[in-house]
Amino acid sequence: MEQNFYDSGFSLKNSVKFFYRWRKVLLVVFCIALVASTIVSFVIQPRYDAKAVMFPTSSNRISKSIMADRYSLDVLDYGIERDCEYALQVLSSDAMMHDVCERFNLMSHYGIKQNAKDKYYRLYGMYRAYVSVKRTEFLGIEIKVTDFDPQTSADIANYITANYDTLCTKILAPRTDGAIKVMENVCRQLQAEMQNISDPLLLKYKNKELASIQTQIAERKADLNEFVPRKFWVDQATAADHKSFPKRTIIILLGTLAAELMCIFVLLLAEKWNSFKEELKS
């Protein structure tokens, strides 16, 4: 049993003979692969990473944080996990993607032709590949952008972080505006009712109800019109001075190794095939 193992085609002696027999071919392939992978590693356009970090605030309602007398929140409080999830959804939304693509003309920047039938598919695919939003360990949010230009990657990351406030306001505006109109109608109805009330006690109650609704209207208008950041901007993105891709050493090593392994595999198949043909002739 032991003798058969050492006499097999995978013995150390046969392996050494194989590599010696094909040493010139392997050396040529090694040199060609080394040169080719080196050229490829320098031809690939480098990419640069930029990162911005933010923390969402504890509430999206400015009036609740500042104006409310009861149950108010500290405007300086960091957000909880729920606020972080809301912020992640906004930052990763299609609305944010459309704003960024329009602001930086990414279709042209990525070299996508305007007359291409699948231009939006390619644009959004490249955006999703180059822009990532993820939660950090401490409920912060990291916006990472990769681009061929270091300044562009930093500008996009900072724009996404800054545009978060604008987009939140845009999302809340229709519902807030609708609520204001409803409460203003209620105020007009109350004022009409009060003109027909003669009982001072009942009139006092209506005045209190009217004042409460008017306060809510003022709060909703503050939510709609006043600007207070809904985030804490921890780190602004800066233009990187070192590329993140490609890693030339890794490309050269993996390319050369893959070519050598493929060459060995082909040579083994060739020898097996020649051996098989000789057996058929004999």
Side-chain angles (χ1 to χ4, degrees), residues 53-58 77-85 87-88 134-142 232 234-235:
V53 178
M54 57 164 276
F55 282 94
T57 57
S58 60
D77 275 350
Y78 291 108
I80 58 177
E81 185 173 2
R82 180 193 62 187
D83 299 306
C84 185
E85 294 297 328
L88 281 172
K134 66 178 182 179
R135 192 174 78 173
T136 66
E137 183 180 358
F138 302 105
L139 296 183
I141 298 176
E142 177 190 273
F232 297 96
V234 181
D235 293 325

Side-chain angles (χ1 to χ4, degrees), residues 190-209:
L190 280 173
Q191 290 169 343
E193 291 176 8
M194 290 168 61
Q195 293 178 357
N196 300 321
I197 296 177
S198 57
D199 188 344
L201 183 62
L202 191 45
L203 188 62
K204 181 179 179 181
Y205 172 78
K206 291 292 184 180
N207 272 322
K208 185 176 180 180
E209 185 179 358

Side-chain angles (χ1 to χ4, degrees), residues 11-237:
S11 68
L12 179 60
K13 182 178 179 180
N14 287 339
S15 298
V16 172
K17 287 182 178 179
F18 171 83
F19 284 105
Y20 183 78
R21 183 165 57 251
W22 295 105
R23 65 189 183 280
K24 292 182 179 180
V25 175
L26 293 173
L27 181 61
V28 170
V29 171
F30 175 82
C31 294
I32 294 175
L34 181 63
V35 173
S37 58
T38 302
I39 293 174
V40 169
S41 68
F42 281 93
V43 168
I44 296 175
Q45 190 173 8
R47 299 173 190 168
Y48 300 85
D49 289 343
K51 297 179 183 178
V53 178
M54 57 164 276
F55 282 94
T57 57
S58 60
S59 173
N60 280 329
R61 284 182 53 189
I62 300 169
S63 60
K64 190 175 181 181
S65 300
I66 299 175
M67 300 175 62
D69 294 329
R70 301 178 62 189
Y71 310 112
S72 61
L73 300 175
D74 189 346
V75 71
L76 298 180
D77 275 350
Y78 291 108
I80 58 177
E81 185 173 2
R82 180 193 62 187
D83 299 306
C84 185
E85 294 297 328
Y86 288 162
L88 281 172
Q89 189 65 44
V90 173
L91 291 166
S92 303
S93 65
D94 288 346
M96 178 66 79
M97 179 176 63
H98 295 157
D99 286 350
V100 175
C101 291
E102 183 178 353
R103 170 67 175 79
F104 293 93
N105 193 15
L106 291 185
M107 187 171 294
S108 175
H109 182 71
Y110 290 152
I112 302 173
K113 296 182 179 180
Q114 289 288 342
N115 57 357
K117 293 183 179 180
D118 61 343
K119 59 183 180 180
Y120 291 110
Y121 174 81
R122 293 169 59 190
L123 174 63
Y124 299 152
M126 295 183 73
Y127 178 90
R128 297 298 185 192
Y130 294 153
V131 178
S132 67
V133 179
K134 66 178 182 179
R135 192 174 78 173
T136 66
E137 183 180 358
F138 302 105
L139 296 183
I141 298 176
E142 177 190 273
I143 299 97
K144 178 182 175 183
V145 179
T146 302
D147 196 83
F148 306 112
D149 178 65
Q151 188 59 53
T152 301
S153 61
D155 291 342
I156 292 176
N158 289 329
Y159 176 80
I160 291 173
T161 310
N163 195 50
Y164 169 72
D165 295 313
T166 304
L167 195 55
C168 285
T169 302
K170 189 185 297 185
I171 293 171
L172 296 173
R175 185 175 178 85
T176 305
D177 188 58
I180 291 173
K181 291 179 179 178
V182 170
M183 288 186 288
E184 287 176 342
N185 288 333
V186 173
C187 284
R188 285 192 289 269
Q189 293 175 5
L190 280 173
Q191 290 169 343
E193 291 176 8
M194 290 168 61
Q195 293 178 357
N196 300 321
I197 296 177
S198 57
D199 188 344
L201 183 62
L202 191 45
L203 188 62
K204 181 179 179 181
Y205 172 78
K206 291 292 184 180
N207 272 322
K208 185 176 180 180
E209 185 179 358
L210 179 63
S212 175
I213 297 176
Q214 289 173 337
T215 300
Q216 292 184 50
I217 292 175
E219 291 177 357
R220 298 297 83 73
K221 287 184 176 180
D223 292 332
L224 190 61
N225 300 321
E226 301 300 327
F227 177 77
V228 174
R230 292 176 168 85
K231 64 181 181 302
F232 297 96
W233 198 330
V234 181
D235 293 325
Q236 286 196 352

